[in-house]
Amino acid sequence: MDLEKLEAILASQSHEFDVVVRIAKEEDIAVARQMAKKLAQEMGFSLADTTKVATAVSELARNIYRYAQQGRIMLRKKEEGKSGPSMEIIAADQGPGIPDVELVLTKGYTTYERSLGIGLSGVKRLMDSFAIYSAPGRGTVVVAEKRRRRF
Amino acid sequence: MKEAPSNPEQVVPVLQIADFLLVPIQIDLDDKTVGLLQEQLLKEIARTRAKAIILDVRMVEVIDSYISYTLSETAAMARLMGCRTILCGIRPPVALTLAQMGIALGELSIARDLEHALVLAQAP
Amino acid sequence: MHAPQNLSALARKIGRTPAETQLWEEFLGKLFAAEGAQEEAALTSTLRSLAEELEEEPLAAKIAALAAELPEFPATRVFQLALKACGEKRREQEETLSHLRQMLAELATPIIRIWTDMLLVAMIGNIDSQRAQDIAERLLNRVSSTRAKVVIVDVTGVPMIDTVVGGFLIEMFNATRLLGAEVILTGIKPEVAHTLVKLGVDFQTVSIARDLEDALRRGIALTMEETRKRRELALSLAKSGVGENDERGAF
């Protein structure tokens, strides 16, 4: 089930999204962050939520760069669901995968020496919904969503 | 107040005021820059033997876990060199984001504005 | 061209109230008067008034009735204009509604500048994720714009604080402290204190006051202490000569 979802997202096409950023170099992290910020602003997110989205994308892009060397950040607007417009953020890579997903979501867990171990758990806290699909040797996909808060 | 002599590895300007260093960060902090920033700050602290270093982040729009980590790490290193690190001017959206992620920045003192930062810097 | 009295009679037949009749008469008058570019805006504005007077469906029915009475009535165009007018009306209603919602959110959690450099946030009612984020965002913007030194958070009006709400509060307190302001929490009722300790939420990082008076006293002490320190700093900087011969007065 998870594996099917993983493969489906890995095979998804660029044109299905509003923004696709390839992550292959360190500088791409900042590019992804900027693009996310721009899209959130366009969608009318509050300043705080725009910053939350940009920060989450920054974390996800860095994870791709660190652990899989390359992958994609894909963003899309989802209009007028039951709970109003939202932004979907997908981070997909065909890297080594995560053997224990629960473990990486524990605050403070890291395999990288220069890190607070807060990346993925932080993203989960910043977003309204969050899911990881991963299979060792196949890759990792994170699907997160942030709703536009209405006043 | 005098500006420290510039050198090509500088990523930010560093101003010296009495025993303190004031560092306005006015660039987008990507992973490479934040590493260079750490190197530069440690060198300046060693060179000037400053009592405290004030990082002004009013212009920084995103502080993620890696930037936080590097800033905390720099503060811990500075402390070992006898120098206090004070962060001032965090933007409201950045503060909300850090708090929601559960990042506390415990190694750093937090100031409301530059004057408050100087007050904290002078504390014994 | 129709004689004005015919149109008046027609308007009386269609309209149910004097106000409505008058609007129909005005509308028909404009419709069958001079043709011109500015005429469309005038027609739309009268239709707007009619849309306010009637609901959308009766309005459509009456336009249809007029079309049946008058062979030269431009039904398609009038329907288009009526649709536009109704759309405008709905958009305006939505704007008012969202404005009211925002006002309600602000009224539900007033943020008051209660003393020099001091804000009071009175939290009232149940708090969910959305409300917590709204309050935190508003509070931080106020702290930043007023450069408040102390924020007193009064939770007397919050009926229940569980781990979720406690978590929101801690996040808000931490964010406030990242701006360099101090948080004083007050108004925790015995039953709330009981639950909090059982749940392991201890608010260790903020200072807690017995009541609002106690909170105010502490807050004032904190702001005065900082004012004193700032004055000392200014004096010592002046003595040591910092700031003299300074070309970059920007600091």
Coordinates of all heavy atoms in Angstrom, one line a residue, chain B residues 15 20-21 26-27 33 36 44-45 47 49 54 66 69 78-80 82 85 89 94 101 104 115 120:
Chain B
L15 N 31.0 45.3 13.2 CA 31.4 46.6 13.8 C 31.8 46.4 15.2 O 31.2 45.7 15.9 CB 30.1 47.5 13.7 CG 29.4 47.7 12.4 CD1 28.1 48.4 12.6 CD2 30.3 48.4 11.4
F20 N 32.4 45.2 22.4 CA 31.4 44.4 21.8 C 31.6 44.4 20.3 O 32.1 45.3 19.7 CB 30.0 44.9 22.1 CG 29.8 45.3 23.5 CD1 29.4 46.6 23.8 CD2 30.2 44.4 24.6 CE1 29.2 47.0 25.1 CE2 30.0 44.8 25.9 CZ 29.6 46.1 26.2
L21 N 31.1 43.3 19.7 CA 31.0 43.3 18.2 C 29.6 43.3 17.8 O 28.7 42.6 18.4 CB 31.7 42.0 17.7 CG 33.2 41.8 17.9 CD1 33.7 40.5 17.3 CD2 33.9 43.0 17.3
Q26 N 22.6 40.7 6.9 CA 21.7 41.3 5.9 C 21.7 40.5 4.6 O 21.4 41.0 3.5 CB 22.0 42.7 5.6 CG 21.7 43.6 6.8 CD 22.2 45.0 6.7 OE1 23.1 45.3 5.9 NE2 21.7 45.9 7.5
I27 N 22.0 39.2 4.8 CA 22.0 38.3 3.6 C 21.1 37.1 3.9 O 20.9 36.8 5.0 CB 23.5 37.8 3.2 CG1 24.2 37.4 4.5 CG2 24.2 38.9 2.5 CD1 25.4 36.6 4.3
T33 N 26.7 29.9 3.3 CA 27.0 31.2 4.0 C 27.0 31.0 5.5 O 27.8 31.7 6.1 CB 25.9 32.2 3.6 OG1 25.3 31.8 2.4 CG2 26.4 33.6 3.6
L36 N 30.3 29.8 6.6 CA 31.3 30.8 6.5 C 31.2 31.9 7.6 O 32.1 32.4 8.1 CB 31.2 31.5 5.1 CG 31.7 30.7 3.9 CD1 31.3 31.4 2.6 CD2 33.1 30.4 4.0
E44 N 36.9 36.8 14.3 CA 36.8 38.2 14.8 C 36.8 38.2 16.3 O 37.4 39.1 16.9 CB 35.5 38.8 14.3 CG 35.3 38.9 12.8 CD 36.1 40.1 12.2 OE1 36.8 40.8 13.0 OE2 35.9 40.4 11.0
I45 N 36.2 37.2 16.9 CA 36.2 37.2 18.4 C 37.6 37.0 18.9 O 38.1 37.7 19.8 CB 35.3 36.0 18.9 CG1 33.8 36.3 18.6 CG2 35.4 35.8 20.4 CD1 32.9 35.1 18.8
R47 N 40.4 37.8 17.3 CA 41.2 38.9 17.0 C 40.9 40.1 17.9 O 41.8 40.7 18.4 CB 40.9 39.3 15.5 CG 41.9 40.3 15.0 CD 41.6 40.7 13.5 NE 40.2 41.3 13.4 CZ 39.9 42.5 13.7 NH1 40.9 43.3 14.1 NH2 38.7 43.0 13.5
R49 N 39.2 40.0 20.9 CA 38.9 39.6 22.2 C 37.7 40.3 22.8 O 37.7 40.8 23.9 CB 40.2 39.8 23.1 CG 41.4 39.0 22.5 CD 42.7 39.2 23.2 NE 42.6 39.1 24.6 CZ 43.1 40.0 25.5 NH1 43.7 41.1 25.0 NH2 43.0 39.8 26.8
I54 N 27.0 40.6 19.2 CA 25.5 40.9 19.0 C 25.2 40.6 17.5 O 25.7 41.2 16.6 CB 25.1 42.3 19.3 CG1 25.5 42.6 20.8 CG2 23.7 42.6 19.1 CD1 25.5 44.1 21.2
Y66 N 18.8 24.0 10.6 CA 20.2 24.0 10.4 C 20.9 25.4 10.8 O 21.9 25.4 11.4 CB 20.5 23.7 8.9 CG 22.0 23.6 8.7 CD1 22.8 22.6 9.2 CD2 22.7 24.6 7.9 CE1 24.2 22.5 9.0 CE2 24.0 24.5 7.6 CZ 24.8 23.5 8.2 OH 26.1 23.5 8.0
Y69 N 20.9 25.5 14.5 CA 21.9 24.7 15.0 C 23.3 25.4 14.9 O 24.0 25.4 15.9 CB 21.9 23.3 14.3 CG 23.1 22.5 14.7 CD1 23.1 21.8 15.8 CD2 24.3 22.4 13.9 CE1 24.2 21.0 16.2 CE2 25.4 21.7 14.3 CZ 25.3 21.0 15.5 OH 26.4 20.2 15.9
A78 N 31.8 30.4 21.1 CA 32.2 31.7 21.6 C 32.3 31.7 23.1 O 33.2 32.4 23.7 CB 31.1 32.7 21.1
R79 N 31.4 31.0 23.7 CA 31.4 31.0 25.2 C 32.7 30.4 25.7 O 33.3 30.9 26.7 CB 30.2 30.1 25.7 CG 29.9 30.2 27.2 CD 28.6 29.6 27.6 NE 28.4 28.2 27.1 CZ 29.0 27.2 27.7 NH1 29.7 27.3 28.8 NH2 28.8 26.0 27.2
L80 N 33.2 29.4 25.0 CA 34.5 28.8 25.4 C 35.6 29.8 25.2 O 36.7 29.6 25.8 CB 34.7 27.5 24.6 CG 33.8 26.3 24.9 CD1 34.1 25.2 24.0 CD2 33.9 25.9 26.4
G82 N 35.2 32.9 26.0 CA 34.9 34.0 26.9 C 34.0 35.1 26.4 O 34.1 36.2 26.8
T85 N 27.1 35.5 23.3 CA 26.4 35.7 22.0 C 25.0 36.2 22.3 O 24.2 35.5 23.0 CB 26.4 34.5 21.2 OG1 27.8 34.0 21.1 CG2 25.9 34.8 19.8
G89 N 16.5 41.2 17.3 CA 15.7 41.5 16.1 C 15.1 40.4 15.4 O 14.8 40.5 14.2
V94 N 9.3 34.5 12.2 CA 10.4 33.6 12.4 C 10.4 33.0 13.8 O 10.5 31.8 14.1 CB 11.8 34.3 12.2 CG1 13.0 33.4 12.6 CG2 12.0 34.7 10.7
M101 N 8.4 24.7 15.9 CA 9.2 23.5 15.6 C 9.8 23.0 16.9 O 10.4 21.9 16.9 CB 10.3 23.9 14.6 CG 9.9 24.0 13.2 SD 11.2 23.8 12.0 CE 12.1 25.3 12.2
A104 N 14.6 26.2 20.7 CA 14.6 27.1 21.8 C 15.8 28.1 21.8 O 15.7 29.2 22.4 CB 14.6 26.4 23.2
E115 N 19.7 48.3 21.8 CA 20.0 48.9 23.1 C 19.9 47.8 24.2 O 20.8 47.7 25.1 CB 19.0 50.1 23.4 CG 19.7 51.1 24.4 CD 18.7 52.1 24.8 OE1 17.5 51.9 24.7 OE2 19.1 53.2 25.3
L120 N 22.3 43.7 27.9 CA 22.7 42.3 28.2 C 24.1 42.0 28.0 O 24.7 41.3 28.8 CB 21.9 41.4 27.2 CG 20.4 41.3 27.4 CD1 19.8 40.4 26.3 CD2 20.0 40.8 28.8

